[in-house]
Structure formats: structure tokens, C-alpha cells
Amino acid sequence: MLDATPLTEGWIVRHPEDTAEPLPAAVPGCVHTDLLAARLIPDPFLGRNEKDVAWVGRREWTYELELPGLGAAGGHDQSDLVFDGLDTAAEIRLDGRLLGSVRNMHRSYRFDITGVSGRLSVRFASAYTEAEAVRERLGDRPNAYPEPFQYIRKMACSFGWDWGPTLVTAGIWRPVRLERWSTARIARVRPLVTVDGTTGQVELLVDVERAAVEAGLRLEARVGGVSAVAEVEGTSGVVRLEVPGAELWWPRGYGEQPLYEVELTLYSEGDALDRWRRRVGFRTVELDRSADEHGTGFTLVVNGERLFARGVNWIPDDVFPSRVTRERCRTRLTQAAEAGVDLVRIWGGGIYESEDFYDACDELGLLVWQDFPFACAAYPEEQPLRGEVEAEARENVVRLMPHPSLVLWNGNNENLWGFKDWGWEERLAGESWGEGYYSGLLPRVVAELDPTRPYTAGSPWSGSWEHHPNDPAHGTHHSWEVWNREDYAEYRANVPRFVAEFGWQAPPAYATLRRALPGEVLASDSPGMLHHQKAEDGNGKLERGLARHFALPEGDFDRWHYLTQVNQARAIAAGIEHWRSHWPVCAGTIVWQLNDCWPVTSWAAIDGDGREKPLYHELRRLYADRLLTLQVRGEGLVLAAVNQAGEVWDAAGVRLRRMSVEGVVVAEVTVRVSAAARTVAEVRVPREVEPAGAKEFLVADGEGLRAVYFPAPDREVPYPRPEFDVEVGPGSVTVMARTLVRDLLLQADRLGAAARADTGLVTLLPGERVTIGVRGWEDVPDVEDVRRALYCVEPAR
């Protein structure tokens, strides 16, 4: 049987021209984390230390390990050295002999080292040096940032982004091991998993590597109590299995997520040589891109069920990906699932994620939209890049095929849009820029290797050059005029077929800022705050976005911090409520973004320390199976009942109250709204309860849900000074309103860095109360401390 030995201990790292003692190295890891562990660089996440460690990415680094002698192959025919991931341009030598040169972070590598031992050396060139050399040979091409990330197959956001630091890594970032084997081993398994009625079908297309050409080889596979065998002819074989009564795998909210373990064993003359195990799920997936009277659709269909995708965009959860453990990955994705998310888009400036990521998505019922790693740049199609792109695509398509959560391959992020609108076409003047990948190479690889899943050329993409790439009426749309230039009210100006990116910024939690900016007097424009704001004119956009709705809190950082977080939640709510109310014309929203890779002001719902912003809690309401929302339609208002549940929603008594800001009910009616499963129903709001002017608002309550509509921006609303009582228990805070209290928020982390509240923004009418659960307190705080951590909208000063 193949024997695999992890090579995790005994590594050192050094700069080749440095005479200092080498450092202990963690593998998997990277140079930055090794230098941090040795206390030779400051934490780049704190203050402005990022600038002080920029030199690390400009140097060469060598990792070394002493490999013991193993005789011929330790009793086996062959010994292989296997790297699951090298970041990025490196030469690998053993006992002074060159094993190979690599230049792709997204691939694995295998070297035959039979009979060789001695000093193993992995020498990494600076990714800058490699990328700049390729740029010099192929010519400069445009991109969104002044860094050469498109000239090297590496995580693009290592070079910085408008939410991320520039920390250009190098190292052995995924596991490395020694594999010893005899006769033959399983080189690749390509599982095609389908379902026909109630019969699950698994076809395993197997490639083997032989050490003994003449040996007879047999494959045996098992799944769901069914087994099958097949002979290996030459270096390949096919095993087919049928599983009667197979249970379907569903996205969360639509059904269960049964997973079946597939075990494949390679035999020779009765001896087991190698074994491959994965879990699969039986489901069908289609992408409906049919034309209709509204344009061209983009609707995911799983097991015949048409879905409104409730999505979030995912970036690498740490700028040093080797630090993302299985537990951390599971925690972050569980947060997504608990917020009502059912689709995660892995954005194209990052990586193909670890097995831990996709395993968690399989178990949680989170659909995965996988970008190929291309983002915001014109990518050359010449060698050496073209060969690397094809090799990585082939490897990762096959690697990820077993996962039922993976439902869509996407060619790139914003590159087709960039070619059309960002001045690239004129500047490129006929040079290659990546279209050959997105419309040729990648769809061909997916069609050949993974025909069970749909492919789309890019996001945004209208489906062809007959329409603008970001035309909201066709295919996928990225809504960035809002945030960059427009108020979030403009989300309501159109109904895209699928909104694959939209977002609004806010700073991270207070405790996250305090940790990241130690000793700094916090202000929106203090040095550390500005350094941890990477977006172009980010603070200007935050301020202009606030000014449209609130009186600016001059000189009051705490109010600024609260209001920017409120504005972020309000902005996303404006978009999602509008677009969900237009299902099935609009078939999905993917918020930019779920997570952060360090502490930063950004579009994320969960900040770089893992703390939930108010937006996160708002997503739990917005992405719930059932949502009440008040929407402007023409000259009046409608109450929309969005029902994504599988049963009829018959809300017989939705109470509509037209109220003054002083808490007086001006008019009241009760309406009935009934929405069939997976539909939206609308009821016209009677004129007598429509609010008139800035002193009034409308509240809709039904089935434990609430929708609130204010016709004027907050800066024009004559709010009363909020009054409320507070009670504090061992794990809760109860607030009882004596006036209107709009967007009440407990910032629990102000009471203790580990404290978390389970509730976000809440609007209370006079006489109402809310109990907020809190975990992570070391001691129960007193009432006055809690009051100082409670924020709400206040009258304009």
C-alpha cells in the first residue's frame, strides 16, 4: 500500500545572501509568518507596520530540510516528493540536483526522488522579480492596481487590493509529503456524479502511474452499499456504479445534504496498492440563461428547483492563507449559513480554496460559485502563462469535482467589463488580454473534464458581445455606480437579472480597531484609520454617503463609527429588499463581501478579527426564507411578501400603522397577503396609511416580521430624543423604549473584546422591548457601562 509521510518538522528558512543563522520554518506556512514567529518583523496588521515589512516580498528565500536515506525506496519501487502548493516561483533541489522549477501557486507538484537523499532545498525567487521579468518579455498590459499580479499565477490580492494589504508572500503554503509506492499508484480520479430519477450514478475515470509495466491491475469501488470492479488497461480504467434510492443533496433551506463516501482501491494480484476516498452528493444543476421579455436570465436550477440565490462574495480569509485552519474555515462558513446565505462566490483575485472549505460547504448546504483566478486585469495569453493556466485549470477542476456544493465555474472577475469600459481596448491595440482563456481554453477544459456543471465566461457578463458586459438586463451585473458615485436609493432604479456584486463600506468593530491601532487616538482620518482604508477616496465616499442621510457627526468618532455601520446595513437592505421583491426577474444577489483578510474599513459583513458588523445581522433578516418589505411602486407603496419557503405563506393579519415620530398612530389597517411557495406577493398599501412628510413613517408587522418605511432621510426627520430603560442579566441586555428608538445597536465588544451580541439593528416603538443575548462577558457589566455601549439614531444637532 502507498505509504505517505508528512514532511512538517525540521524545516529552516534563510535568505540566500544572509550570513545570519537560519530560522525555524513552519510548513505549511510562508516567510512572513516565520519571520513573525521569530520576532524579526512587526505584525503587519497593526498600525502602519505593513510598510515596514514590504522588503520581505522583494527578497529571495530558501527553505531547507534534511531528507534521510531510504535505500532504494524504503522497500518500495518508487519514492516521490509531493508538494500540494508552492508560493510561487521556485527551484527545488535534492542533494544539489535540480528536481524542477515551478511558477504557479495554484498547482501541486510531484518529483521522483527514488534512491536520492540529502539536503532538500526550495529556493523561492521574489514574486516581483518573476512577474516583472514576464512583463518585460510580454509587454505591459492594463490592470486595476499598479502591481504586476497578472504576470504570475499567484493569489492576486497578495499584491494588495482596495480592501487588502500589499504583503507579497513566498513559501511552502500547502502540505508536503514523501510518498513511497510499488507496482502502481492512483494518479488521478475524475468522478462524474449524476442522478437519474432516484438512481445515483457514479462514473470514476481513473489514471494510474506504473512502476511495473507488466503487472495486472484491478480497480474496485464502493459507494452507498454498492460495489463494482474494472480492469486497468494500460494506464487508465473506468468504474461505474449505480446507487438505487439515492437521496438528493439540496442547498440549505431546500432540503437535506446527504453525502455518500466513495472508496476506490487499486489492486494487483490481490494486494491493495493505493486507495482514494471522497464524499459525493447526488443532485442536478443547470443554469437557465433563456431570453424573455425582460432580457436574458441567469437562474440557478438545482434538482429542478429554481432558486433565488442569497449570496456573499468570499475573499481569502487571511492574507497569509496557510493560517486559515479547518476550524476557522468552518466557523466563517457557519456564520454565512446562519445569516441565511445559500451561495458563496469564491472571487477570482484569490485562490482555489482548500478541501476544508468545500467540505464545509457540502455539509452546510452552501452552493459554491467558483471563479477561476483572474481579476481586474488584462492577462497575457502567451507562454509561460498559457501553459500554467491550462495545467492549473485541469488540476483544480478535477480536484473539486466530487463536491456537490460546487455548482458553477466562472471564467474571471470584471475583465470583460474592463476591456469594454476601462480604456483597455484602445491601450491593448490587438495584444492578448485573456479573452482566449475565458471564451476558449477554460470552457473547453470544463466541458471535457466536468460536463456536469455550467460555465460562464465572466462576471459581469451579458452572455455575448451583442450586449454591454454589465448590462443589467442580461446575465450577471455588478452594481458599483452606487457606492462609487450614487446614493443607495439608486439600487431601485433597475431590476438586474442577477446581481453578482454590490456593496457599501463600513469600518470594523470597535474592538478590532483598538487591537489593530494600539495607542492611536481614533478619528475617521487618523493615520492608522487612513492606512487601514485601502479604497480610492474611501473616506470621501463614506462621508458623502453619510451626508445624504445624516447630519455629519463632526469630531465625534464614536457616532461616526456607529452611523457608517448603520449606513452600510441600510444600503445593502435597500438593494436586497428591492431585488428580492422582483423575483423571478431578478434571480440572485451576491453581497460584496462576507469576510476580510485583515483589520480594515471595507465592504465586509464580518471584519478581519471575525466580529460581525451590523450588516451581518441585517443579512439574517434580508436573507430569511420570509421577508416583508415596503417598496415604492409608481406613485404609491406596496407591501411585498417574499416567500422562499417551500410552503404557502398566508399572512392573514399584517398590521399597517402610519405613525408620527412622537409615537402616535395616525391611521391603521390590517391587510391579508398570501404568497405561494417560492413566490412574491404584493398588496397595495392603502392611501390612508401612507406617511406624509418627514414627521411620519409606516410600520408593517405580521408573522413576527417587521418592515419600516420612512419617506425622508434621517437628517430631515425630527426625531425625539431617544429614551429607554435598560436591564442587564448574566447573558442578556433588555431595552425598553419610552420613545421611538430607531436602529438601536449594542456594541458588545466595547464591554469586553470577547463579547458578542446576537442581535443587530432594532427599531422599537414606544412601549416595546427587545432582549439581546450576549456571550463572552468575563463579568456582567453595570447598567451605565451598557448604556455607553448602546447606540441609536439621534435628533440632528
Side-chain angles (χ1 to χ4, degrees):
M1 179 66 78
L2 182 146
D3 177 40
T5 304
L7 299 177
T8 57
E9 304 297 327
W11 288 91
I12 61 169
V13 63
R14 60 185 175 84
H15 177 52
E17 298 174 5
D18 198 332
T19 58
E21 286 293 311
L23 305 175
V27 172
C30 73
V31 173
H32 288 82
T33 52
D34 291 331
L35 293 171
L36 275 169
R39 299 184 178 181
L40 293 178
I41 60 171
D43 187 339
F45 285 13
L46 303 184
R48 290 175 283 171
N49 292 342
E50 173 198 351
K51 295 180 178 179
D52 296 332
V53 302
W55 60 272
V56 176
R58 290 284 184 180
R59 298 182 74 172
E60 292 187 356
W61 299 94
T62 298
Y63 283 75
E64 295 180 345
L65 176 70
E66 196 69 35
L67 278 186
L70 298 169
H76 294 78
D77 293 342
Q78 185 162 323
S79 294
D80 290 343
L81 179 64
V82 183
F83 293 94
D84 284 343
L86 292 168
D87 176 17
T88 294
E91 285 186 351
I92 300 93
R93 295 180 181 272
L94 180 56
D95 195 29
R97 187 184 79 181
L98 180 66
L99 297 180
S101 298
V102 303
R103 49 162 43 104
N104 193 326
M105 181 181 184
H106 306 303
R107 294 178 60 186
S108 64
Y109 299 95
R110 178 181 293 267
F111 303 101
D112 181 353
I113 59 167
T114 306
V116 184
S117 61
R119 195 73 168 171
L120 173 62
S121 168
V122 185
R123 179 167 177 160
F124 289 95
S126 162
Y128 276 113
T129 301
E130 169 72 14
E132 288 163 354
V134 172
R135 180 173 62 187
E136 183 66 24
R137 288 204 306 275
L138 301 182
D140 193 26
R141 287 163 173 79
N143 67 13
Y145 303 100
E147 295 279 339
F149 61 84
Q150 75 261 50
Y151 301 98
I152 185 169
R153 296 309 296 158
K154 174 178 173 56
M155 183 172 90
C157 61
S158 285
F159 293 88
W161 220 260
D162 58 3
W163 37 257
T166 301
L167 294 166
V168 179
T169 50
I172 304 171
W173 78 288
R174 279 183 166 161
V176 55
R177 62 191 173 275
L178 186 64
E179 288 189 359
R180 297 187 289 270
W181 54 279
S182 295
T183 307
R185 69 174 187 89
I186 298 171
R188 186 179 79 163
V189 180
R190 185 163 66 89
L192 292 173
V193 181
T194 56
V195 61
D196 183 4
T198 60
T199 301
Q201 300 169 331
V202 180
E203 183 177 64
L204 304 173
L205 297 97
V206 185
D207 295 332
V208 299
E209 181 182 359
R210 288 177 175 268
V213 176
E214 71 282 356
L217 301 176
R218 180 171 56 88
L219 297 164
E220 181 175 325
R222 301 177 185 276
V223 60
V226 176
S227 62
V229 297
E231 299 299 316
V232 175
E233 298 182 5
T235 59
S236 63
V238 181
V239 189
R240 296 179 176 87
L241 305 99
E242 290 194 346
V243 181
E247 297 181 74
L248 293 179
W249 184 96
W250 287 93
R252 62 165 302 282
Y254 290 83
E256 300 302 314
Q257 293 79 44
L259 297 169
Y260 292 77
E261 182 168 284
V262 179
E263 181 179 276
L264 173 72
T265 306
L266 176 66
Y267 289 95
S268 178
E269 298 179 355
D271 294 328
L273 303 178
D274 197 0
R275 185 165 287 125
W276 178 92
R277 290 190 183 94
R278 297 291 189 277
R279 293 182 305 172
V280 301
F282 296 106
R283 57 102 185 95
T284 64
V285 59
E286 304 166 74
L287 181 60
D288 185 353
R289 290 180 269 205
S290 302
D292 57 25
E293 67 272 25
H294 305 286
T296 309
F298 194 93
T299 304
L300 284 166
V301 185
V302 178
N303 298 328
E305 187 79 61
R306 300 172 68 81
L307 312 181
F308 181 97
R310 294 168 281 187
V312 287
N313 281 274
W314 171 274
I315 66 171
D317 205 50
D318 197 313
V319 75
F320 307 129
S322 59
R323 296 200 298 199
V324 180
T325 63
R326 182 179 182 86
E327 293 72 27
R328 176 169 163 182
C329 189
R330 178 77 187 211
T331 295
R332 200 71 68 242
L333 291 168
T334 299
Q335 286 174 299
E338 291 176 348
V341 169
D342 60 21
L343 181 143
V344 179
R345 176 190 170 208
I346 301 177
W347 167 75
I351 57 177
Y352 305 94
E353 285 289 341
S354 67
E355 292 299 315
D356 297 335
F357 182 98
Y358 304 96
D359 284 346
C361 290
D362 290 343
E363 294 163 10
L364 293 167
L366 293 172
L367 302 174
V368 175
W369 160 330
Q370 176 72 57
D371 281 14
F372 285 98
F374 300 91
C376 301
Y379 283 79
E381 298 174 38
E382 295 85 356
Q383 300 294 1
L385 293 172
R386 186 177 182 85
E388 291 293 345
V389 167
E390 180 162 2
E392 84 179 45
R394 288 184 172 278
E395 176 177 343
N396 284 285
V397 166
V398 172
R399 176 174 74 89
L400 301 181
M401 281 175 66
H403 295 284
S405 56
L406 177 59
V407 294
L408 181 67
W409 292 103
N410 177 50
N412 74 88
N413 175 74
E414 297 191 344
N415 295 344
L416 300 165
W417 183 19
F419 180 77
K420 184 70 173 179
D421 273 4
W422 301 348
W424 294 3
E425 187 171 8
E426 298 80 6
R427 184 173 163 189
L428 287 163
E431 292 181 302
S432 68
W433 57 275
E435 186 182 18
Y437 296 145
Y438 319 134
S439 62
L441 173 63
L442 296 176
R444 185 174 70 249
V445 168
V446 172
E448 174 193 338
L449 299 177
D450 188 16
T452 67
R453 290 180 176 88
Y455 169 88
T456 184
S459 184
W461 180 231
S462 60
S464 77
W465 289 110
E466 293 180 8
H467 306 287
H468 189 281
N470 201 29
D471 187 335
H474 300 276
T476 50
H477 177 67
H478 290 195
S479 182
W480 285 118
E481 282 298 304
V482 172
W483 166 250
N484 282 323
R485 281 167 284 276
E486 304 288 348
D487 181 49
Y488 54 74
E490 291 302 309
Y491 282 138
R492 304 185 185 102
N494 56 51
V495 181
R497 306 312 303 268
F498 194 108
V499 189
E501 276 190 25
F502 71 109
W504 197 273
Q505 272 200 349
Y510 183 80
T512 299
L513 288 173
R514 281 272 59 112
R515 187 192 70 82
L517 304 175
E520 181 164 307
V521 177
L522 295 177
S524 63
D525 59 352
S526 59
M529 286 293 295
L530 290 177
H531 184 77
H532 288 248
Q533 164 62 279
K534 296 295 187 178
E536 181 181 359
D537 190 30
N539 270 21
K541 293 170 185 176
L542 279 176
E543 183 168 314
R544 290 189 292 276
L546 268 186
R548 295 182 183 110
H549 296 271
F550 299 97
L552 294 177
E554 301 292 343
D556 187 339
F557 176 80
D558 291 340
R559 293 299 301 172
W560 176 88
H561 179 264
Y562 161 75
L563 288 175
T564 51
Q565 292 199 331
V566 169
N567 222 31
Q568 180 188 41
R570 296 252 197 105
I572 299 308
I576 293 178
E577 290 189 34
H578 169 65
W579 293 320
R580 280 194 75 182
S581 75
H582 283 281
W583 161 258
V585 177
C586 180
T589 56
I590 309 182
V591 177
W592 186 270
Q593 64 215 61
L594 175 70
N595 59 325
D596 270 325
C597 65
W598 77 312
V600 64
T601 296
S602 84
W603 299 264
I606 302 169
D607 75 20
D609 282 5
R611 294 186 175 91
E612 299 97 348
K613 297 182 188 178
L615 170 59
Y616 172 83
H617 297 284
E618 188 70 352
L619 284 177
R620 293 167 58 190
R621 178 183 72 86
L622 296 167
Y623 276 166
D625 283 348
R626 289 175 173 171
L627 171 71
L628 285 179
T629 177
L630 292 159
Q631 295 290 314
V632 176
R633 295 278 196 272
E635 297 299 316
L637 292 174
V638 298
L639 173 69
V642 181
N643 182 24
Q644 208 157 346
E647 305 82 31
V648 173
W649 182 17
D650 190 7
V654 179
R655 186 184 182 193
L656 298 175
R657 283 177 287 173
R658 174 183 170 190
M659 300 190 68
S660 73
V661 292
E662 289 82 15
V664 175
V665 177
V666 178
E668 178 178 340
V669 299
T670 299
V671 299
R672 177 174 182 169
V673 56
S674 182
R678 324 288 193 205
T679 68
V680 178
E682 291 186 357
V683 173
R684 177 66 63 177
V685 172
R687 290 289 185 183
E688 64 265 29
V689 292
E690 286 192 4
K695 295 183 179 181
E696 294 184 351
F697 63 102
L698 177 62
V699 181
D701 289 300
E703 305 277 323
L705 303 177
R706 168 169 285 178
V708 179
Y709 172 75
F710 283 77
D714 292 70
R715 55 185 166 75
E716 297 177 10
V717 177
Y719 288 110
R721 185 154 299 281
E723 297 179 8
F724 51 83
D725 299 316
V726 179
E727 293 178 359
V728 182
S732 67
V733 170
T734 299
V735 177
M736 297 150 287
R738 287 187 270 120
T739 64
L740 170 65
V741 179
R742 189 172 188 199
D743 284 336
L744 177 74
L745 176 67
L746 174 63
Q747 294 189 7
D749 58 290
R750 288 178 179 265
L751 302 168
R756 300 284 197 279
D758 65 5
T759 303
L761 302 169
V762 179
T763 292
L764 299 175
L765 306 180
E768 293 183 335
R769 67 170 55 203
V770 63
T771 297
I772 303 167
V774 183
R775 69 183 190 279
W777 274 341
E778 293 182 6
D779 300 299
V780 177
D782 62 36
V783 170
E784 289 310 308
D785 285 339
V786 172
R787 276 191 172 274
R788 284 191 287 272
L790 284 165
Y791 289 80
C792 63
V793 176
E794 296 182 355
R797 294 188 177 94

